Amino acid sequence: MNMSDQEKELRVLRDQIDQIDQQIQSLLNQRALCAQQVAEVKQKHQGQGDAVFYRPEREAQVLRRVMARNSGPLPAQDVARLFREIMSVCLALEQPMRIAFLGPEGTFTQQAAVKHFGLSAITAPLGTLDEVFREVEAGTAHYGVVPVENSNEGMVNHTLDLFGRFQLSIVGEVELKIHHHLLMKAGADRHHVTRIYATQQALAQCRRWLDAHYPSVERITVATNADAARQASADAEVGLGAAIGTELAIELYPLQVAVRNVEDQAESSSRFLILGRQEVGPSGKDKTSLLICAHDKPGALYELLAPFRARGISLTRIETRTLSGPWNMVFYIDFEGHVADPEVQALIKELESESVELKLLGSYPQAVL
Amino acid sequence: MNMSDQEKELRVLRDQIDQIDQQIQSLLNQRALCAQQVAEVKQKHQGQGDAVFYRPEREAQVLRRVMARNSGPLPAQDVARLFREIMSVCLALEQPMRIAFLGPEGTFTQQAAVKHFGLSAITAPLGTLDEVFREVEAGTAHYGVVPVENSNEGMVNHTLDLFGRFQLSIVGEVELKIHHHLLMKAGADRHHVTRIYATQQALAQCRRWLDAHYPSVERITVATNADAARQASADAEVGLGAAIGTELAIELYPLQVAVRNVEDQAESSSRFLILGRQEVGPSGKDKTSLLICAHDKPGALYELLAPFRARGISLTRIETRTLSGPWNMVFYIDFEGHVADPEVQALIKELESESVELKLLGSYPQAVL
C-alpha cells in the first residue's frame, strides 16, 4: 500500500466525519429552536420578567440520562460534559446568564462557575462574599457561586452567616478536583526543610504524605494559602521553609512546585454552592441543606440526629458553627432527599419541634459531573 | 389557559429536545468511531509511534466550515466552540493529549491551552519557558503553549531565543481576550491617586483611558503585573498608589478592583503560540513566522521588507530583537501565507539571499476562534 491508498482511506473517513458534523450542527440548531420555544411558552404564561429559563433539576436529569444511555466509544463523563456546554449555549441564546462569583478571576471558584454553567455564561468576579449574595438577591446576577469548603477558615462561617441575612436558596452544588503541592523557593533542598506552612485543611488532606516524608518537620497552620506561600517564601531565604498549597499561590510569590500532588486521596475535591432566588423541583437525586439552632442542653446534637437515623435518611455533611447574632450553637446539615419528598417533610417537621430555629437553605440536584 | 396547559406544551417541547439529544449523542459516538478508524489507518501506514493524530490544519478547516455553514439560531462562534470540544473529546479517545504550558495553573496561558485544545487535553504547568520547550522536544508533552505577547518584557525575547536553541515549530496560535483594571487598596480614594504602576504593555493598552482620567498622575513602568500590584499595595499604605493589571494580580496582594475594563480597545487580546514537533500542512488561511538576521548595514530592515510588498504578502507583525549568541540584530516576522505556497517559497528564497541567516519557525492556521 502506498501513500495515496492511505490518503484515499482517510478521505473516505473524513467525508464521513464531515457528514456527521453537518448532522450534529443541524441538530444543535434544532435544539436551540426548541429551547427558544420553551422560553416563549414560559414567557406567555409567566410574563417576561418572572419566567425562569434555567432549571437546575431539568439540567441534572438531562445529564444523568445522557450518562445512563451512553454506549461509547466516548466516555459517558465526556459526553455529559459536552451536553452541559450544549445546554449552556442554548440557554445563552434565550437569556445570557450572569453569574457572580467570589473573585478574583482565575480562581477555583471561577472554574467551579464555568464547570456548572458552561462557557457561555458571563462570570463576574466580586470582591467579597457579601457582594455575591447582594447581587444575586438584587437580581443583578442570576446566580452566585461561593466556596463552601475553602482553605480560608473563616469563609464557611461567613457564608452560613450570610444565608441568615439574605433570602437566597442553594440551587446546586459543584465539586472540583484540586491538587496540593509542596512549594519551595527555587534551588532550595527539599531534604533540609524544617518548617511547613499550610492551612488546616491542606494539612489534613496531606497528612499521610507529610507523615511519610516529613515526620519530624514542624507544621505551622496559617489562615490562607496565600499566607502559607508568603511565609514559606520569606523563610526560604535561609533555605528552610516550604508551603503546601495549590498552584494559584505561586503566581506572585517566588516559589516553585517541589513535589506535585501530595494529597492523600488521589482526587481530593472542593465543594462550591450555587445561590439563586428560585426553589428547585426534585430531579430524582437531590440534596437538602439546612441550618438548625439546637436547644442549649446536653445531648442536643444527638437528639437532632436521631430523626435522620429513624427515617433512614443519609446525612452527607454536618458542621457545627458559631454564628454572629442571636443563634449561638448552629448546625449546618446536608442530607440526601428533596423537601418535596413526604419523608423529608415529616423529618423537617420533627426537627422543627426539637430545635430553637430551623432555616431551610434549599433542595437541589446532587452534582452530576 | 391554565398551568397544566403550559405543562403540556413544555412536555411536548422537552420530549422533542430529548429526541434531538439522543440523536446528537448517537452521532457524537459515531464520530468518535470514525476518528478511531482514522487513527487505525494512520497507525497501519505510519507505525504506532510515528502516527500524528492531531492535525491543526484539519481542525482549523473543520471549524471554519462549521462557522461558514451555520444558519442559526445559535451563533456561529458558539457552535464552533462546541465543535472544538467535540474534536477534543474524540481526540482524547485516541491519544490523551498532554500539553505543557508556562504555569502556574490558573494563568492566562492555561486558559489559552484549554481554549485551543479543549477541556479533554491534559494541561501540565511548568515553571519556565525552557522546560516547556524541553518537554515538547523530548516528546514528554505533545505540544507546548507559551505567551508571545506578554506583559513580562523579557518573555518574548526569551521565547524567540529558545526557538534558536530547540528544533520546534510553531503549529498554531491562540488569541485570548484579557481585561485590565485599575487596582487599589480597599478604601483608598481613587481621586487622590498620585502614582500608577503598570507594565509597558498595560500602559500602552490603557493610554487613552489614563489620559482622560489621570492626565497628570505619574505613570511608573514596571517589569511584571505582579510588580505593579506589589508596589501599588505598598504605596497604598499612604493612600497614593494604584496599579493597572489583570485580576490574577490581586489574588495575593491586598488590592481591589477600583475601575473595571480600563483598556482602550473594548477587547484587547493577548497572543499565545502552540509549539510542536510536526510541520503543519496548509489549511487555506495560514500564517508563517520566521526569524531573520539582517546584514548590519543602513536600510537593512527596509530591504528585508521590500520583497513582502513586491509580492503583495501581508505582514501581520514585526519585532526587532536582540538575541543572545552570534546574532545581534534579529527580526521576528509574521505574515499571511503558508510555506507550501509557491509565492511564499519564492519570498523566502529572496529573503535568504538578503540576510545573514533565516530560521523558519513554522506555518500554521490563523486563529479561528
Side-chain angles (χ1 to χ4, degrees), chain A residues 19 83 181 207 224 320 331 336 359:
Chain A
Q19 291 294 325
F83 270 89
H181 313 297
R207 192 180 52 78
T224 67
T320 310
F331 301 99
E336 288 179 6
K359 185 175 171 111

Side-chain angles (χ1 to χ4, degrees), chain B residues 313-334:
Chain B
I313 291 175
S314 284
L315 284 168
T316 54
R317 187 182 160 95
I318 181 159
E319 298 278 343
T320 310
R321 293 295 161 198
T322 313
L323 296 188
S324 61
W327 294 3
N328 45 32
M329 192 163 79
V330 173
F331 301 100
Y332 168 82
I333 294 174
D334 284 352

Side-chain angles (χ1 to χ4, degrees), chain B residues 24 31 46-47 53-54 72 84 112 156 171 204 218-219 230 255 269-270 298 300 326 344:
Chain B
I24 292 174
R31 191 191 200 284
Q46 293 161 26
F53 298 102
Y54 174 67
R84 166 142 283 162
V156 179
V171 302
E218 186 185 5
R219 296 172 202 176
R230 194 180 57 244
L255 295 174
S269 67
S270 279
V344 171

Side-chain angles (χ1 to χ4, degrees), chain A residues 6 21 25 31 69 81, chain B residues 21 25 31 46 69 120:
Chain A
Q6 181 194 351
D21 283 353
Q25 184 162 6
R31 191 192 200 284
R69 73 174 170 234
R81 204 167 44 67
Chain B
D21 283 354
Q25 184 162 6
R31 191 191 200 284
Q46 293 161 26
R69 73 174 168 231
S120 296

Side-chain angles (χ1 to χ4, degrees), chain B residues 7-61:
Chain B
E7 280 304 315
K8 255 183 255 161
E9 285 182 57
L10 288 179
R11 180 148 316 151
V12 170
L13 285 168
R14 284 180 175 151
D15 284 346
Q16 279 179 31
I17 291 177
D18 285 343
Q19 290 294 325
I20 291 170
D21 283 354
Q22 284 183 42
Q23 292 177 58
I24 292 174
Q25 184 162 6
S26 156
L27 286 164
L28 290 173
N29 279 305
Q30 282 176 43
R31 191 191 200 284
L33 275 171
C34 286
Q36 283 182 322
Q37 288 173 282
V38 168
E40 279 161 25
V41 171
K42 285 183 181 172
Q43 279 173 351
K44 186 172 65 183
H45 293 276
Q46 293 161 26
Q48 183 87 33
D50 299 329
V52 174
F53 298 102
Y54 174 67
R55 311 273 345 172
E57 69 275 34
R58 162 102 185 125
E59 188 168 300
Q61 285 166 344

